[in-house]
Structures are given as C-alpha cells and as structure tokens.
Amino acid sequence: FVGYSIVKHDLFDIDAIIKRTYGYLLTTGAIATMYGLLVLFSNLVLGGYQFAKSPAFPLLFILFMVLLFSRIRDKMQSVVDRAFYRLEYNYQETVQKISEKMRSLLNLDQIGHSIMAIANETMFIDSGCVMLRSQDKQNYECLIQFEEKDNLLMKDVGPIGKKTSFSSEEEKREDSADACLVTMGANEALLQKLIQKKGVITLYDIQEDPLLENELESIKQEFDRLDAVLIVPLIYEEQLTGFLALGSKKSGKFYRKEDINLLTILANQSAVAVENAFMLEEIIEKERAKAKLMDVFGKYVTDEIRDQILQGKIPLDGETKDVTVLFADLRGFTTLAESTPPKDVVRIINSYFSGMAKAIRENQGLVLQFIGDEIEAVFGAPVQLEDHPTHAVKAAYEMRKQLEAVNEKLQEQGYQPLRHGIGVHTGKVVAANIGSEDRLSYALVGDTVNVASRIQGLNKKFGTDILISVTTRNRLSCDIDLEKLPATTVKGKKEMVEVFNVS
C-alpha cells in the first residue's frame, strides 16, 4: 500500500522500480498459482497417478515456464502498469501505428473509433469525444464519445448524428447516450479560438490568456460541457475539420510535451482521413444521384443522348436548333374517362403512353412532356440528329402500330379501341431549360412548335391519323406513301399550310 501510494500520488521518483517489483511479484504469484493448479488437477483427475510426485514433474514445469516466462511477465507487468495508469508508450511505434491506421480508413465511424482508441490507449484518459464539422458547416457535432464510469463505454454516434452502440450497456442507458449528441455552433468563442490558434488549447491556457477575459466564462462552460481539459484541432488546408476533446489523465499527471506532439500528429493524420471520408461520401452520393437521374432520364431518351447530357456535352441554357416536332393526341378520351373507373383510366392511358414513348425513343426522339392525353416529342434536340424528319415520320408510323397492339388488349378486356391524331413539322426552335428557379424543364419555343400542334389538330378535319407538313415531306430521305391534302389555314397562321397524309 505504501508503494501504491508513492506511485499513485507521484511522491518520489521511483515509479519504475516499484512497478517493476510489483510486476515480478505478480508474475511469481501467477506461476506459483499455475503450479498449484496443475498439481491439484493431477491429484483430482488422475487419481492415484504419482506423476506429480516424480522429480520429472517440476523439471518439466520449469522448462515449460522458461519458454513462457517472458510472455507471462509482460502480461503481468501490463496489468500493473494499467493499475497505476503509468503505461508508457513507444513514441515512434505509436506515430507509425497512427500513420498506418489512418491511411487505411475511409469510414467516419471507424476513423472516430480509432482516434478515441489510440488516445485512450496511450494517454489513459477518463473521458473524451471527437467532434466533426457538419455537412452544412454551421455546426460541429459529436461523432464518438468515450466515458469511463464503472467500465469502459464507447458510444458511437455514427455518421454525424446517427447513434450506434458499441456495447449492450449503452442500450440500457438512453440518457447517457443522449449526452453524446453534443453540438457546437461554428461561431462560438471556443471554436473561434481554435480556428485562430490552429493548435492545442488547454483549460489552463484559456485561464491565463488576458485577451479572453470577456469570453473566459463562456469558454470554460464549453470545456465543462465537453468534460475536457485539452482540445486538439483537426486542421485540413487551414480549415477546422473538427477537434478532439480530452479529459484528464487517470494518473493525475499533466499532458507532457511529448503527449501534445503525439496528439497533434494524431489530429493531423485524422483530419486527412476525415476529409478523405467526406470526399468519398460526396462521390458516392453524386454517383447515386447520377444513377437515379440516369434511370429516370433514360426512360425518355436513348442511352447515348442521356450519357451526353450527363457528361455536360450538351448545352441546356438555350440554343437555336433545326428539329422535327411531333404531337400526338388521343381522340374521344374524355368520353372514355367519364364512363370508366379512375384506376382503369390511369392504367389505360399509361399503357398508351408507354407504347408511344417506346416508338419515339427507338427512333432517336425525346419525349418532352405528357400533357393530359397529349404527347409532345422532338427529333434533333438536345443531341443533333441527322435526317431527323425521316426519324420522326418513322416514329409516327411505329406509333400507329403500337396503338393497334394497345387496342387489341383493350378489346380483350371489353373496352372500346383508342384513336389518336399525330402531327409532324420541321423547322427552327429555341431549345433550353425553361421554368422557375425551383422547377426547370427542357422545352422548345418557336413557331415550329405551334405549327406542329396545329397540324395534329387537322386530323379531325381530314379524318386521318398521321399528318406531316410539306417542310417535313421535302426533307425525307426515303420513300414513304403520302397523300397530298388540300392546303388549309390553321389558327395563328396567315399563310395556307400544306399537309400530307401518311398512308
């Protein structure tokens, strides 16, 4: 007890001698206990067997102990060192361990746990936490917290705010776990001091700094809230990524210069690892968003067009393009909707739209929008398309065949067949992302769009299902059976419009 008091309270500079003495005493006791248990085992289990009384028994035991002595002694000495909280770390080995560990980690949970584990194993602290900058950079939030009460308790709050327990004990302590969710605003005095100094700050430094006289009380409260006496910043490219808040050493000793240097190295390596983890998460999130966008956008355009748009090769901020515009409109759909259950109406129109969109897409077109029971599509935008008039007319012809297939299924289910009218016109348009700041859509603006819509409406007048303008007819690259219809006027145009029926 005298020896323990001397070491525990640092009364004399004989720590190493006393600890080593305790270590050898504990080792001797462990070996003697092992010998006694082995003799007891041979007497109880082996009964009358006299091997334990043989001169060979102690000789063999001694030889066995010689082989294991170093391991037993190291183990016992470690127990003693931990009992006194005086376990000395090898500086160079610890630095190398930090470097190797942090270089291999790309997960915030693992990084936080490793930071706290290394700090505790080398310093024997009574509490600590790792605080990291939130995604909005407005706050610093607890990633992982360490507390030692009756036993070791690691509380991991996962990816900034998500709690994950490392022990079953925490599951029983909800109040204790909630203490892990410490949040500090980026403008608080303590963090501003960290940003300014970009170095280790202790509670004693704060108390002795005359420049912080007005803020001393609030900073001390932050130290108390973090249960810390020392704070080590995680600096990456002159920015405060986070910080490590550590409580007192369980030995009662102050942090030495060597400790500060080691913690600074740990913080610097950790800052790089944390930023790498942040960047990895950002890349993964972007890839997820891109995959989602590709999946959604890919339903309306070909894979080639989709990829060019996503790669930024296609300007979406406005350009004049030569295109062919197609409009398709269902006939008599209002009557169908009035006499059919709503769910069936949705199913029917979705079946129709799916078939029409497939025909457009397979002919290199882009469905711009579904407007009620109408479809607007373009050929030649946003990606330039050679011979887009021919592609548009072929798409219209394929849409006619798709409608026949849709009608076969509807008639089998007892519904009347659908009819539609398609109008196709070629000309110049302005193509761009159009809308408000909150909602944008790729759209076409210009007279070509209006004329294509009017031509689609002429199907009712002529009793046809596919009409194309003379402009589109003149630019076709293949022979298509066409019937010239009388020139007619359309709303919004002074000139007569020439149209052709696709047979």
Side-chain angles (χ1 to χ4, degrees), residues 350-410:
N350 282 343
S351 176
Y352 169 76
F353 281 154
S354 296
M356 300 306 109
K358 179 183 178 184
I360 293 168
R361 180 179 176 182
E362 288 179 348
N363 286 279
Q364 310 300 311
L366 168 65
V367 176
L368 291 174
Q369 57 181 333
F370 299 108
I371 314 169
D373 55 3
E374 187 177 61
I375 301 172
E376 179 187 2
V378 62
F379 298 78
V383 176
Q384 184 176 350
L385 178 65
E386 295 295 330
D387 197 17
H388 50 79
T390 303
H391 282 86
V393 175
K394 286 184 176 180
Y397 188 78
E398 183 63 29
M399 290 168 71
R400 174 190 283 167
K401 294 170 63 176
Q402 287 287 340
L403 181 61
E404 292 173 359
V406 170
N407 282 335
E408 286 182 8
K409 293 181 180 179
L410 290 177

Coordinates of all heavy atoms in Angstrom, one line a residue, residues 350-410:
N350 N -51.7 5.0 -69.3 CA -50.3 4.7 -69.1 C -49.8 3.6 -70.1 O -48.7 3.6 -70.6 CB -50.0 4.2 -67.7 CG -50.0 5.3 -66.6 OD1 -49.8 6.5 -67.0 ND2 -50.1 5.0 -65.4
S351 N -50.7 2.7 -70.4 CA -50.4 1.7 -71.4 C -50.2 2.3 -72.8 O -49.2 2.0 -73.5 CB -51.5 0.6 -71.5 OG -51.3 -0.3 -72.5
Y352 N -51.0 3.3 -73.1 CA -50.9 4.0 -74.4 C -49.6 4.8 -74.4 O -48.8 4.7 -75.4 CB -52.1 4.9 -74.5 CG -51.9 5.9 -75.7 CD1 -52.1 5.5 -77.0 CD2 -51.6 7.3 -75.4 CE1 -51.9 6.4 -78.0 CE2 -51.5 8.2 -76.4 CZ -51.6 7.8 -77.7 OH -51.4 8.7 -78.8
F353 N -49.3 5.6 -73.3 CA -48.1 6.4 -73.3 C -46.9 5.5 -73.4 O -45.9 5.9 -74.0 CB -48.1 7.2 -72.0 CG -49.0 8.5 -72.1 CD1 -49.5 9.0 -70.9 CD2 -49.3 9.1 -73.3 CE1 -50.3 10.2 -70.9 CE2 -50.1 10.2 -73.3 CZ -50.6 10.7 -72.2
S354 N -46.9 4.4 -72.7 CA -45.7 3.5 -72.7 C -45.4 3.1 -74.2 O -44.2 3.1 -74.6 CB -45.9 2.3 -71.8 OG -46.1 2.7 -70.5
G355 N -46.4 2.7 -74.9 CA -46.2 2.2 -76.3 C -45.7 3.4 -77.2 O -44.8 3.2 -78.0
M356 N -46.3 4.6 -77.0 CA -45.9 5.7 -77.8 C -44.5 6.1 -77.5 O -43.7 6.4 -78.4 CB -46.9 6.9 -77.6 CG -48.3 6.6 -78.0 SD -48.6 5.9 -79.6 CE -49.0 4.2 -79.2
A357 N -44.2 6.2 -76.2 CA -42.8 6.6 -75.8 C -41.8 5.6 -76.4 O -40.7 6.0 -76.8 CB -42.7 6.7 -74.3
K358 N -42.1 4.4 -76.4 CA -41.2 3.4 -76.9 C -40.9 3.6 -78.4 O -39.8 3.5 -78.8 CB -41.8 2.0 -76.7 CG -40.9 0.8 -77.2 CD -41.5 -0.5 -77.0 CE -40.6 -1.6 -77.6 NZ -41.3 -2.9 -77.6
A359 N -42.0 3.9 -79.1 CA -41.8 4.1 -80.6 C -40.9 5.4 -80.8 O -40.1 5.4 -81.7 CB -43.1 4.3 -81.2
I360 N -41.1 6.4 -80.1 CA -40.4 7.6 -80.2 C -38.9 7.4 -79.8 O -38.0 7.8 -80.6 CB -41.0 8.7 -79.3 CG1 -42.4 9.1 -79.8 CG2 -40.1 10.0 -79.3 CD1 -43.2 10.0 -78.9
R361 N -38.7 6.7 -78.7 CA -37.3 6.5 -78.3 C -36.6 5.6 -79.2 O -35.4 5.9 -79.5 CB -37.4 5.9 -76.9 CG -36.0 5.6 -76.3 CD -36.1 5.0 -74.9 NE -34.8 4.6 -74.4 CZ -34.6 4.0 -73.3 NH1 -35.6 3.7 -72.5 NH2 -33.4 3.7 -72.9
E362 N -37.2 4.6 -79.8 CA -36.5 3.7 -80.7 C -36.1 4.4 -82.0 O -35.3 3.9 -82.7 CB -37.3 2.5 -81.0 CG -37.4 1.5 -79.8 CD -38.3 0.3 -80.1 OE1 -39.1 0.4 -81.1 OE2 -38.3 -0.6 -79.3
N363 N -36.7 5.6 -82.3 CA -36.4 6.3 -83.5 C -35.6 7.6 -83.1 O -35.7 8.6 -83.8 CB -37.6 6.6 -84.2 CG -38.2 5.4 -85.0 OD1 -37.7 5.0 -86.0 ND2 -39.2 4.8 -84.3
Q364 N -34.8 7.6 -82.0 CA -33.9 8.6 -81.6 C -34.6 9.9 -81.2 O -34.0 11.0 -81.3 CB -32.9 8.9 -82.7 CG -32.2 7.7 -83.3 CD -31.4 6.9 -82.2 OE1 -30.7 7.5 -81.5 NE2 -31.6 5.6 -82.2
G365 N -35.9 9.8 -80.8 CA -36.6 11.0 -80.4 C -36.6 11.2 -78.8 O -36.2 10.3 -78.1
L366 N -37.0 12.4 -78.4 CA -37.1 12.7 -77.0 C -38.5 13.1 -76.7 O -39.1 14.0 -77.3 CB -36.1 13.8 -76.6 CG -36.3 14.5 -75.3 CD1 -36.0 13.5 -74.1 CD2 -35.5 15.7 -75.1
V367 N -39.2 12.4 -75.7 CA -40.5 12.8 -75.2 C -40.3 14.0 -74.3 O -39.7 13.9 -73.2 CB -41.2 11.7 -74.5 CG1 -42.5 12.2 -73.9 CG2 -41.4 10.5 -75.4
L368 N -40.8 15.2 -74.7 CA -40.6 16.4 -73.9 C -41.6 16.4 -72.7 O -41.3 16.8 -71.6 CB -40.8 17.6 -74.8 CG -39.7 17.9 -75.8 CD1 -40.1 19.0 -76.7 CD2 -38.4 18.1 -75.1
Q369 N -42.9 16.0 -73.0 CA -43.9 16.1 -71.9 C -45.2 15.4 -72.4 O -45.5 15.2 -73.5 CB -44.2 17.5 -71.6 CG -44.7 18.4 -72.7 CD -45.0 19.8 -72.3 OE1 -45.3 20.1 -71.1 NE2 -44.9 20.7 -73.2
F370 N -45.9 14.9 -71.3 CA -47.2 14.4 -71.5 C -48.2 15.4 -70.9 O -48.1 15.8 -69.8 CB -47.4 13.1 -70.7 CG -46.5 12.0 -71.1 CD1 -45.4 11.6 -70.3 CD2 -46.7 11.3 -72.3 CE1 -44.6 10.5 -70.7 CE2 -45.8 10.3 -72.7 CZ -44.8 9.9 -71.9
I371 N -49.1 15.9 -71.8 CA -50.0 17.0 -71.4 C -51.4 16.4 -71.4 O -52.0 16.3 -72.5 CB -49.9 18.2 -72.3 CG1 -48.4 18.6 -72.5 CG2 -50.6 19.4 -71.7 CD1 -48.2 19.6 -73.6
G372 N -51.9 16.0 -70.3 CA -53.2 15.3 -70.3 C -53.2 14.0 -71.1 O -52.5 13.1 -70.7
D373 N -53.8 14.0 -72.3 CA -53.8 12.9 -73.1 C -53.0 13.2 -74.4 O -53.2 12.5 -75.4 CB -55.2 12.4 -73.5 CG -56.1 13.6 -74.1 OD1 -55.5 14.7 -74.3 OD2 -57.2 13.4 -74.4
E374 N -52.1 14.2 -74.3 CA -51.3 14.6 -75.5 C -49.8 14.3 -75.2 O -49.4 14.4 -74.1 CB -51.6 16.1 -75.8 CG -50.9 16.6 -77.1 CD -51.2 18.0 -77.3 OE1 -50.9 18.9 -76.5 OE2 -51.8 18.3 -78.4
I375 N -49.1 14.1 -76.3 CA -47.6 13.8 -76.2 C -46.9 14.9 -77.1 O -47.3 15.1 -78.2 CB -47.2 12.4 -76.7 CG1 -48.0 11.3 -75.8 CG2 -45.7 12.2 -76.6 CD1 -47.8 9.9 -76.4
E376 N -45.9 15.5 -76.5 CA -45.0 16.3 -77.3 C -43.6 15.7 -77.4 O -43.1 15.4 -76.3 CB -44.9 17.7 -76.7 CG -44.0 18.7 -77.5 CD -43.7 20.0 -76.9 OE1 -44.3 20.2 -75.7 OE2 -43.0 20.8 -77.4
A377 N -43.1 15.5 -78.6 CA -41.7 14.9 -78.7 C -40.9 15.7 -79.8 O -41.5 16.5 -80.6 CB -41.9 13.5 -79.2
V378 N -39.6 15.6 -79.7 CA -38.7 16.3 -80.6 C -37.7 15.3 -81.1 O -37.2 14.4 -80.4 CB -38.1 17.5 -79.9 CG1 -37.2 17.1 -78.7 CG2 -37.2 18.3 -80.9
F379 N -37.3 15.6 -82.4 CA -36.2 14.8 -83.0 C -35.1 15.8 -83.5 O -35.5 16.7 -84.3 CB -36.8 14.0 -84.2 CG -37.8 12.9 -83.8 CD1 -39.1 13.3 -83.5 CD2 -37.4 11.6 -83.7 CE1 -40.1 12.4 -83.2 CE2 -38.4 10.7 -83.3 CZ -39.7 11.1 -83.0
G380 N -33.9 15.6 -83.0 CA -32.8 16.5 -83.3 C -32.4 17.4 -82.2 O -31.6 18.3 -82.4
A381 N -33.0 17.3 -81.0 CA -32.6 18.0 -79.8 C -32.8 17.1 -78.6 O -33.8 16.3 -78.6 CB -33.4 19.3 -79.7
P382 N -32.0 17.3 -77.6 CA -30.9 18.2 -77.5 C -29.7 17.7 -78.2 O -28.7 18.5 -78.4 CB -30.6 18.2 -75.9 CG -31.1 16.8 -75.5 CD -32.2 16.5 -76.3
V383 N -29.6 16.5 -78.7 CA -28.5 16.0 -79.5 C -28.8 16.1 -80.9 O -29.9 15.7 -81.4 CB -28.2 14.5 -79.1 CG1 -27.1 13.9 -80.0 CG2 -27.8 14.4 -77.7
Q384 N -27.9 16.6 -81.7 CA -28.1 16.8 -83.1 C -28.3 15.4 -83.8 O -27.6 14.4 -83.5 CB -26.9 17.4 -83.8 CG -27.1 17.7 -85.3 CD -25.9 18.5 -85.9 OE1 -25.0 18.9 -85.1 NE2 -25.9 18.6 -87.2
L385 N -29.3 15.3 -84.7 CA -29.7 14.0 -85.3 C -29.8 14.2 -86.8 O -30.5 15.1 -87.3 CB -31.0 13.6 -84.7 CG -31.6 12.3 -85.3 CD1 -30.7 11.1 -85.0 CD2 -33.0 12.0 -84.8
E386 N -28.9 13.5 -87.5 CA -29.0 13.5 -89.0 C -30.3 12.9 -89.4 O -30.8 11.9 -88.9 CB -27.8 12.7 -89.6 CG -26.5 13.3 -89.3 CD -26.3 14.7 -89.9 OE1 -26.9 14.9 -91.0 OE2 -25.5 15.5 -89.3
D387 N -30.9 13.6 -90.4 CA -32.2 13.1 -91.1 C -33.3 12.9 -90.0 O -34.0 11.9 -90.0 CB -31.9 11.8 -91.8 CG -33.0 11.4 -92.8 OD1 -33.8 12.3 -93.1 OD2 -33.1 10.2 -93.1
H388 N -33.4 13.9 -89.1 CA -34.5 13.9 -88.1 C -35.9 13.8 -88.7 O -36.8 13.2 -88.1 CB -34.3 15.0 -87.1 CG -34.2 16.4 -87.6 ND1 -35.2 17.1 -88.1 CD2 -33.1 17.1 -87.8 CE1 -34.8 18.3 -88.5 NE2 -33.5 18.3 -88.3
P389 N -36.2 14.5 -89.8 CA -37.6 14.4 -90.4 C -38.0 12.9 -90.6 O -39.1 12.5 -90.3 CB -37.5 15.2 -91.6 CG -36.4 16.2 -91.4 CD -35.4 15.4 -90.7
T390 N -37.0 12.1 -91.2 CA -37.3 10.7 -91.5 C -37.5 9.9 -90.2 O -38.4 9.1 -90.1 CB -36.2 10.1 -92.4 OG1 -36.0 10.9 -93.6 CG2 -36.5 8.7 -92.7
H391 N -36.7 10.2 -89.2 CA -36.8 9.5 -87.9 C -38.2 9.8 -87.3 O -38.9 8.9 -86.8 CB -35.7 9.9 -87.0 CG -34.4 9.3 -87.2 ND1 -33.5 9.7 -88.1 CD2 -33.9 8.1 -86.7 CE1 -32.4 8.9 -88.1 NE2 -32.7 7.9 -87.3
A392 N -38.6 11.1 -87.4 CA -39.9 11.5 -86.8 C -41.1 10.8 -87.5 O -42.0 10.3 -86.9 CB -40.1 13.0 -86.9
V393 N -41.1 10.7 -88.9 CA -42.2 10.1 -89.6 C -42.2 8.6 -89.3 O -43.2 8.0 -89.2 CB -42.0 10.4 -91.1 CG1 -43.1 9.6 -91.9 CG2 -42.2 11.9 -91.4
K394 N -41.0 8.0 -89.3 CA -40.9 6.5 -88.9 C -41.5 6.3 -87.5 O -42.1 5.3 -87.3 CB -39.5 6.0 -89.0 CG -39.0 5.9 -90.5 CD -37.6 5.3 -90.5 CE -37.2 5.0 -92.0 NZ -35.8 4.5 -92.0
A395 N -41.2 7.2 -86.6 CA -41.7 7.1 -85.2 C -43.2 7.2 -85.3 O -43.9 6.4 -84.6 CB -41.1 8.2 -84.3
A396 N -43.8 8.1 -86.1 CA -45.2 8.2 -86.2 C -45.9 6.9 -86.7 O -46.9 6.5 -86.2 CB -45.6 9.4 -87.1
Y397 N -45.2 6.4 -87.7 CA -45.7 5.1 -88.3 C -45.7 4.0 -87.3 O -46.6 3.2 -87.2 CB -44.9 4.8 -89.5 CG -45.4 3.6 -90.3 CD1 -46.5 3.8 -91.2 CD2 -44.9 2.3 -90.2 CE1 -47.0 2.7 -91.9 CE2 -45.4 1.3 -90.9 CZ -46.4 1.5 -91.8 OH -46.9 0.4 -92.5
E398 N -44.6 4.0 -86.5 CA -44.5 2.9 -85.4 C -45.5 3.2 -84.3 O -46.0 2.2 -83.7 CB -43.0 2.9 -84.9 CG -42.8 1.9 -83.8 CD -42.9 0.5 -84.4 OE1 -42.6 0.3 -85.6 OE2 -43.2 -0.4 -83.6
M399 N -45.8 4.4 -84.1 CA -46.8 4.7 -83.0 C -48.2 4.2 -83.5 O -49.0 3.8 -82.7 CB -46.9 6.2 -82.8 CG -45.7 6.8 -82.1 SD -45.6 8.6 -82.1 CE -46.9 9.0 -81.0
R400 N -48.5 4.2 -84.8 CA -49.7 3.7 -85.3 C -49.8 2.2 -85.0 O -50.8 1.7 -84.6 CB -49.8 3.9 -86.8 CG -51.0 3.3 -87.5 CD -50.8 3.4 -89.0 NE -51.2 4.7 -89.5 CZ -50.9 5.1 -90.7 NH1 -50.2 4.3 -91.6 NH2 -51.2 6.3 -91.1
K401 N -48.6 1.5 -85.2 CA -48.6 0.0 -85.0 C -48.7 -0.3 -83.5 O -49.4 -1.2 -83.0 CB -47.3 -0.6 -85.5 CG -47.2 -0.5 -87.0 CD -45.8 -0.9 -87.5 CE -45.5 -2.3 -87.2 NZ -44.2 -2.7 -87.8
Q402 N -48.1 0.6 -82.6 CA -48.2 0.4 -81.2 C -49.6 0.6 -80.7 O -50.1 -0.1 -79.8 CB -47.3 1.4 -80.5 CG -45.8 1.1 -80.5 CD -45.4 -0.1 -79.7 OE1 -46.1 -0.5 -78.8 NE2 -44.3 -0.7 -80.0
L403 N -50.4 1.5 -81.3 CA -51.7 1.8 -80.9 C -52.6 0.5 -81.3 O -53.5 0.2 -80.5 CB -52.3 3.0 -81.7 CG -53.7 3.4 -81.4 CD1 -53.9 3.7 -79.9 CD2 -54.2 4.5 -82.2
E404 N -52.3 -0.1 -82.4 CA -53.0 -1.3 -82.7 C -52.8 -2.4 -81.7 O -53.8 -3.1 -81.3 CB -52.6 -1.8 -84.1 CG -52.9 -0.9 -85.3 CD -52.3 -1.4 -86.6 OE1 -51.6 -2.4 -86.6 OE2 -52.6 -0.7 -87.6
A405 N -51.6 -2.5 -81.2 CA -51.3 -3.5 -80.2 C -52.0 -3.2 -78.9 O -52.6 -4.1 -78.2 CB -49.8 -3.6 -79.9
V406 N -52.1 -1.9 -78.5 CA -52.8 -1.5 -77.3 C -54.3 -1.8 -77.4 O -54.9 -2.2 -76.5 CB -52.5 0.0 -77.0 CG1 -53.4 0.5 -75.9 CG2 -51.1 0.3 -76.7
N407 N -54.8 -1.5 -78.6 CA -56.3 -1.7 -78.8 C -56.6 -3.2 -78.7 O -57.7 -3.5 -78.3 CB -56.7 -1.1 -80.1 CG -56.8 0.4 -80.0 OD1 -57.1 1.0 -79.0 ND2 -56.7 1.1 -81.2
E408 N -55.8 -4.0 -79.2 CA -56.1 -5.5 -79.1 C -56.3 -5.9 -77.6 O -57.2 -6.6 -77.3 CB -54.9 -6.3 -79.7 CG -54.9 -6.2 -81.2 CD -53.8 -7.1 -81.8 OE1 -53.1 -7.8 -81.0 OE2 -53.5 -7.0 -83.0
K409 N -55.4 -5.4 -76.8 CA -55.5 -5.8 -75.3 C -56.8 -5.1 -74.7 O -57.4 -5.8 -73.9 CB -54.3 -5.3 -74.6 CG -53.0 -6.0 -75.0 CD -51.8 -5.5 -74.2 CE -50.5 -6.2 -74.6 NZ -49.3 -5.8 -73.8
L410 N -57.1 -3.9 -75.1 CA -58.3 -3.2 -74.6 C -59.5 -3.9 -75.0 O -60.5 -4.1 -74.2 CB -58.3 -1.8 -75.0 CG -57.3 -0.8 -74.4 CD1 -57.4 0.6 -75.0 CD2 -57.4 -0.8 -72.9

